[in-house]
Structure formats: structure tokens, C-alpha cells
Amino acid sequence: MHVFKAGINIQFDELANFKVQLHNVETQVAIAELFSNLDEKIEIGIQIDQQLKNQKQWMLSKMFI
């Protein structure tokens, strides 16, 4: 960006001059799998959290019988 001196105001015509480095296909697949695994772990964490909230609610309801 410094070469084109556009700063924050990038002109559409200047986008063709930017070099973008991409990872090879194997690295992209590995990154995608990593994020997929993280999504699954987050979903499991959300389910555990909900189960614990349900248990807490049940225990609190049984406290004052």
C-alpha cells in the first residue's frame, strides 16, 4: 500500500497491483479441518453449559420443598 500511496482510500484500479500470498491446498485443508474441529468443540461446550444450567435449575427448585 505504501508503494501506491493510497493509504486507507484504496482505489479499485489499484487492487490489481496488490500481491496476495495464498497457502497451498494441503495447508488450506488443514486449516479448514482445524476450524471445523474447533466449531465442534465449541458446540459441545455450549451443550455442556446448557446441561449444567438445567441441573442447577433443578437443584435450586428442590431446595425449597
Side-chain angles (χ1 to χ4, degrees), residues 5-20:
K5 308 237 186 288
I8 296 175
N9 300 320
I10 300 171
Q11 302 300 318
F12 185 74
D13 297 339
E14 295 171 355
L15 289 176
N17 298 320
F18 286 103
K19 293 182 182 180
V20 178

Side-chain angles (χ1 to χ4, degrees), residues 18-45:
F18 286 103
K19 293 182 182 180
V20 178
Q21 294 179 350
L22 298 176
H23 295 285
N24 60 25
V25 174
E26 293 83 15
T27 304
Q28 291 181 28
V29 169
I31 292 170
E33 289 176 0
L34 172 78
F35 281 108
S36 179
N37 290 338
L38 286 174
D39 285 341
E40 290 174 10
K41 289 180 181 184
I42 289 170
E43 186 59 37
I44 290 170

